[in-house]
Amino acid sequence: MQRARFVAALTGAGVSAESGLATFRDAQTGLWARFDPREIATPSAFARNPKLVWDWYAWRRERVGTVQPNAGHRALAELEARVPEFLLVTQNVDGLHQRAGSHSVVELHGNITRVKCSREGSIVERCVKCGAFLRPDVVWFEELLPADALSAAEDAARHCDLLLVAGTSAEVYPAAGLPMLAQERGATVVEINPNATALSSRADYVLRGPSGKILPALLDSVSDPRRES
Ligand code: APR
């Protein structure tokens, strides 16, 4: 951490777990337990039953509004200020990294608080132009990721010295391919997760535990250049 010139981070739903948001692959709790995100977060589900999909996202957006960023989000926001170059690549759509103070963030899977026209993709409050249903500005299964976000993330993976991978099962591509891309280009890959994942056996270091505890501890190992030494 002290030596790294360019630090990147790749986060998933686990980083928001300690804020009280359920991850995707832990048991879905409450009203939506019977729906599988892979069945409902898809363009075909939206075409078939837009109200169901819209209600699911309205419920998730309402949940996001009631929770706060946790120590892991805040540690990543502080780390950004302490290292020469930093980029946070997130799969999360909850906007908690930005609320914690992170500025240099790439949202690979969109952001649940934004809505866009389901036909032409423009992000608007209401689609007054074509009258089509609005839909969450979130990448659904079967859909391509926003090209600019993905190329920024791949560029960071190619050029960073250190990639912190926190709170992701590393199962969903292309996000899950970023750690290997970074490692191939000489970066040190560190996994931060209480459980083993598809990445664990290939990461250079595995810090087994919650990101809300481990990320602040990692931050402590980086002196703050803004403070006189
Ligand atoms: N700290 C760190 N990691 C945690 C914590 C925690 N406190 N609690 C759980 N985890 C880990 C779990 O062990 C798991 O590996 O977070 C990971 C969550 O994995 P998923 O639920 O698969 O979430 P994610 O990897 O973000 O999913 C990727 O899949 O459903 C799609 O588009 C959706 O962005 C999502 C993508």
Side-chain angles (χ1 to χ4, degrees), residues 12-15 17-18 23-26 91-92 109 141 167-170 172 192-195 197 209-211:
V15 163
E18 291 160 86
T23 64
F24 288 91
R25 286 164 188 79
D26 299 335
Q91 300 169 89
N92 299 341
H109 295 168
F141 290 98
T168 181
S169 57
V172 173
I192 296 146
N193 196 316
N195 307 307
T197 70
S211 48

Side-chain angles (χ1 to χ4, degrees), residues 94-222:
D94 56 32
L96 290 180
H97 284 302
Q98 293 90 328
R99 283 176 51 195
S102 288
H103 299 290
S104 136
V105 180
V106 164
E107 293 176 315
L108 283 181
H109 295 168
N111 184 311
I112 199 168
T113 61
R114 284 194 304 265
V115 288
K116 68 181 179 185
C117 165
S118 60
R119 186 177 299 143
E120 70 215 315
S122 49
I123 296 177
V124 289
E125 282 311 308
R126 287 191 47 71
C127 185
V128 292
K129 283 185 264 179
C130 71
F133 279 116
L134 293 179
R135 57 159 277 182
D137 180 24
V138 168
V139 177
W140 283 337
F141 290 98
E142 305 158 18
E143 289 189 324
L144 293 176
L145 275 62
D148 50 344
L150 185 54
S151 60
E154 287 168 341
D155 193 50
R158 283 198 196 90
H159 296 99
C160 67
D161 312 297
L162 170 66
L163 176 64
L164 306 174
V165 183
T168 181
S169 57
E171 286 176 12
V172 173
Y173 286 79
L178 293 169
M180 288 305 99
L181 179 58
Q183 198 172 61
E184 275 157 28
R185 304 293 291 259
T188 299
V189 173
V190 179
E191 176 176 73
I192 296 146
N193 196 316
N195 307 307
T197 70
L199 177 65
S200 301
S201 60
R202 292 175 295 170
D204 297 290
Y205 298 93
V206 171
L207 305 179
R208 198 51 86 225
S211 48
K213 187 160 123 326
I214 291 179
L215 287 170
L218 277 178
L219 176 69
D220 289 345
S221 70
V222 181

Side-chain angles (χ1 to χ4, degrees), residues 75-90:
L76 287 171
E78 178 55 31
L79 186 57
E80 177 179 334
R82 294 197 191 179
V83 296
E85 204 179 340
F86 184 85
L87 181 69
L88 171 54
V89 176
T90 187

